[in-house]
Amino acid sequence: MRPSKISGFVALLAVVAAWELVARAGLVNPLLFPAMSKILASFLALLASGEIPAQIARSMERAAAGYFLAATVCIPLGVAMGLSERVYRALEVVVETLRPVPPPVVIPVAMLFLGIGDGMKIFVIFFSCAWPILLNTIDGVRNIDGLLVDTARTFGLARGRTILKVVLPAAAPQIMTGLRISLSITLILVVISEMIGSTDGIGYFILNAQRRLKVDQMYAGMIALALLGYILNQAFLFVSKRLLRGR
Amino acid sequence: MPLLEVDALCKSYDGSAGAATLAIENISFNVERGEFVALVGPSGCGKTTLLMCIAGLAAPSGGRVAVKSQLVDRPPPDLVLVFQEYNRSLFAWRSVLGNVLFGLEAKGRGGKAADERARRLIGLVGLEGFERHYPWQLSGGMQQRVAIARALAYEPEVLLMDEPFGSVDAMTRLELEDALLAIWKELGTTILLVTHDIEEAIYLSDRVHVLARRPSRVVETVAIPLPRPRHQVTTRAEPSFMELRNRIYRRIADAG
């Protein structure tokens, strides 16, 4: 393990220890601020009972659907806008008007049309994930060295295959940047949408625990989310490193 | 019938003020099958533009280019251009082997035969053992070898090279010149190479077309009767080598 990682873990342990001490000393109302040992026990119990895994699984279904939908729509669209000035100009105004809309604002509108089911949440996640992926793809494609495309042309590569074999791999680092930004946005929006209108999912679980004053469970849900975010990011970095080898 | 014909080619770019800038005015020459021909001229004589037109990557404003009597109006299938900026032209996401395989994939060739051919070319340019390396792990000279191997794996009938050794150090340059001559002898590919180095042009080629600028044109074609195989020390020491060098130099200097 690298020294920086070790010191990171030490810092984390220090925070946990400080939490425990503050809670045990009774400095804060224990109803609102239970000891970390109690929270962790509750977390492990919820993990063992399958409650947290089930809630996370529900959230992940929605997150994955919205995220991959955004990637499937926005990468090809971004390539088209990056390659063709005409397509770019045709869509530029639409993109620039919709993009500044804060994603949570879309939730009430989505609820009107789609109710409070999965469709609404997937749409909200899709809407918020779309922009980083789209804009980074456009930028990545536009910044490709023209010499790479000329190289493909001198080897007689047709346009469609040039996009697959040269444009996409050349723009891949920036497309991955967009996908990574959107990954963290996905997590935020799935939780918000579940807090506003849902009967399951980790966002609902956390809000519901708070309403029922099961404060230890609320914190346990937060720990689960933090771990989930960490694991997702690490998994993304792992895949991204494989995909971009040394770039 | 010459393999490559360039006939009264001219190319102008639209200037910012609406005035057209003339990059090439009336260049004509031929390249015969199996020949090694060099174009030599001062910088700014439109050499790169000329190669882009021949490779079908830029449209000429006038005149014509033909490969095997076929008019070039798009990148011709039997011709590949090796760019001067090899470091920008290699695919960073592909290994040496992957880069060399690119041209074969473009031709729709894959499998074991393609793999073997790519490995043979990598061996020919002296990069055996570097198949799995990535371009950024190689020196400039080695990167240029990859670009040459990639072009030759495609089995072009004509190989165009734009200042291929312009940005490598002097020793590497001599090495690469000899490597190119050895490959040319082995494969018999027709080569048209552009350079501003008069001695390099003489050392490598059968014929040298001397270009002048403003307006860009071929001012003289010099046959190089030096015997082959050539040698960096003995060939360059021959009196006729120096005579050719001086003649071409004066021609360029006089033409301005």
Side-chain angles (χ1 to χ4, degrees):
Chain A
M1 209 181 275
R2 281 182 291 117
S4 62
K5 265 200 172 167
I6 294 174
S7 57
F9 271 105
V10 171
L12 185 64
L13 276 179
V15 170
V16 170
W19 183 305
E20 184 75 16
L21 283 174
V22 168
R24 293 229 172 173
L27 294 176
V28 188
N29 182 349
L31 208 61
L32 310 181
F33 198 75
M36 189 48 89
S37 50
K38 199 177 165 209
I39 294 170
L40 287 176
S42 165
F43 172 71
L44 290 175
L46 287 164
L47 209 57
S49 74
E51 172 78 11
I52 277 187
Q55 302 290 10
I56 295 252
R58 284 297 287 130
S59 299
M60 288 300 289
E61 282 168 24
R62 295 159 178 152
Y67 182 73
F68 287 115
L69 187 64
T72 316
V73 172
C74 293
I75 294 174
L77 190 63
V79 169
M81 289 177 74
L83 286 176
S84 156
E85 195 57 33
R86 265 179 61 201
V87 177
Y88 182 82
R89 282 216 211 98
L91 295 175
E92 188 189 7
V93 178
V94 180
V95 170
E96 289 308 317
T97 5
L98 286 178
R99 188 172 66 95
V101 175
V105 171
V106 180
I107 295 176
V109 183
M111 281 169 82
L112 276 183
F113 285 92
L114 300 166
I116 62 161
D118 284 354
M120 175 275 276
K121 296 169 191 80
I122 291 168
F123 176 78
V124 171
I125 293 163
F126 163 80
F127 179 85
S128 47
C129 280
W131 312 115
I133 299 174
L134 183 67
L135 296 177
N136 276 285
T137 304
I138 294 172
D139 230 38
V141 169
R142 283 188 153 189
N143 289 331
I144 290 175
D145 193 330
L147 202 65
L148 291 174
V149 177
D150 276 346
T151 301
R153 285 179 66 204
T154 192
F155 283 105
L157 212 64
R159 194 157 169 79
R161 292 183 72 209
T162 301
I163 291 174
L164 284 181
K165 281 185 174 283
V166 177
V167 173
L168 276 176
Q174 211 173 334
I175 295 174
M176 291 306 277
T177 301
L179 286 171
R180 191 172 171 203
I181 297 169
S182 285
L183 188 64
S184 52
I185 294 178
T186 300
L187 220 51
I188 298 171
L189 265 297
V190 75
V191 170
I192 293 180
S193 65
E194 284 171 353
M195 284 179 167
I196 289 181
S198 189
T199 51
D200 56 10
I202 191 70
Y204 165 80
F205 174 85
I206 290 171
L207 191 69
N208 194 42
Q210 186 257 4
R211 282 180 178 153
R212 293 185 297 124
L213 267 183
K214 302 266 190 196
V215 177
D216 54 329
Q217 289 193 6
M218 177 191 83
Y219 285 117
M222 288 167 67
I223 290 175
L225 255 181
L227 279 175
L228 178 67
Y230 180 79
I231 290 167
L232 283 179
N233 198 37
Q234 291 299 312
F236 188 91
L237 288 179
F238 178 79
V239 172
S240 163
K241 249 187 193 162
R242 286 282 160 112
L243 228 59
L244 301 179
R245 276 186 230 102
R247 281 200 287 160
Chain B
M1 182 62 66
L3 187 56
L4 169 69
E5 300 159 80
V6 177
D7 186 19
L9 193 79
C10 67
K11 172 76 180 171
S12 55
Y13 293 103
D14 294 332
S16 51
T21 319
L22 208 55
I24 301 174
E25 183 175 320
N26 200 0
I27 287 185
S28 300
F29 64 88
N30 291 334
V31 178
E32 302 291 336
R33 185 177 293 276
E35 246 191 329
F36 197 133
V37 172
L39 292 166
V40 65
S43 48
C45 72
K47 289 174 293 193
T48 298
T49 307
L50 174 62
L51 283 190
M52 293 293 277
C53 290
I54 297 175
L57 297 173
S61 316
R64 63 188 277 275
V65 177
V67 176
K68 293 203 287 186
S69 306
Q70 288 280 311
L71 183 73
V72 171
D73 52 4
R74 70 191 67 163
D78 309 309
L79 179 150
V80 166
L81 170 60
V82 176
F83 295 91
Q84 182 177 0
E85 301 98 334
Y86 47 83
N87 52 336
R88 284 170 49 210
S89 144
L90 291 179
F91 302 120
W93 58 92
R94 284 172 172 249
S95 64
V96 168
L97 183 63
N99 265 284
V100 177
L101 277 169
F102 181 84
L104 291 161
E105 288 170 24
K107 267 189 161 177
R109 298 238 230 110
K112 212 164 165 250
D115 202 71
E116 268 166 20
R117 175 159 183 87
R119 286 178 191 278
R120 172 161 171 252
L121 264 305
I122 291 171
L124 268 181
V125 297
L127 285 180
E128 212 174 329
F130 290 94
E131 289 85 355
R132 304 245 152 262
H133 283 61
Y134 282 83
W136 50 270
Q137 296 171 309
L138 305 177
S139 68
M142 290 162 93
Q143 289 178 359
Q144 185 58 297
R145 287 170 193 261
V146 177
I148 292 170
R150 180 176 63 181
L152 288 168
Y154 185 72
E155 290 182 304
E157 289 187 53
V158 187
L159 183 67
L160 305 180
M161 306 182 88
D162 186 7
E163 295 270 3
F165 315 130
S167 39
V168 295
D169 62 86
M171 273 313 292
T172 308
R173 184 175 193 133
L174 301 185
E175 275 173 38
L176 286 174
E177 286 172 4
D178 286 336
L180 182 63
L181 282 182
I183 293 164
W184 174 65
K185 187 165 172 260
E186 167 103 17
L187 301 179
T189 313
T190 307
I191 299 181
L192 175 64
L193 177 141
V194 155
T195 178
H196 61 253
D197 183 332
I198 298 169
E199 293 185 20
E200 179 173 271
I202 298 168
Y203 181 72
L204 292 173
S205 52
D206 298 321
R207 281 194 299 153
V208 174
H209 296 298
V210 182
L211 298 176
R213 67 185 152 190
R214 275 181 230 117
S216 294
R217 65 209 187 273
V218 176
V219 285
E220 190 177 353
T221 298
V222 182
I224 310 296
L226 296 166
R228 295 185 188 270
R230 293 180 183 167
H231 188 273
Q232 290 288 4
V233 176
T234 53
T235 301
R236 285 177 191 260
E238 279 190 40
S240 56
F241 188 93
M242 293 317 287
E243 275 166 35
L244 288 164
R245 181 200 169 277
N246 294 343
R247 180 172 149 204
I248 293 171
Y249 177 75
R250 283 206 194 94
R251 207 74 185 82
I252 292 173
D254 289 348

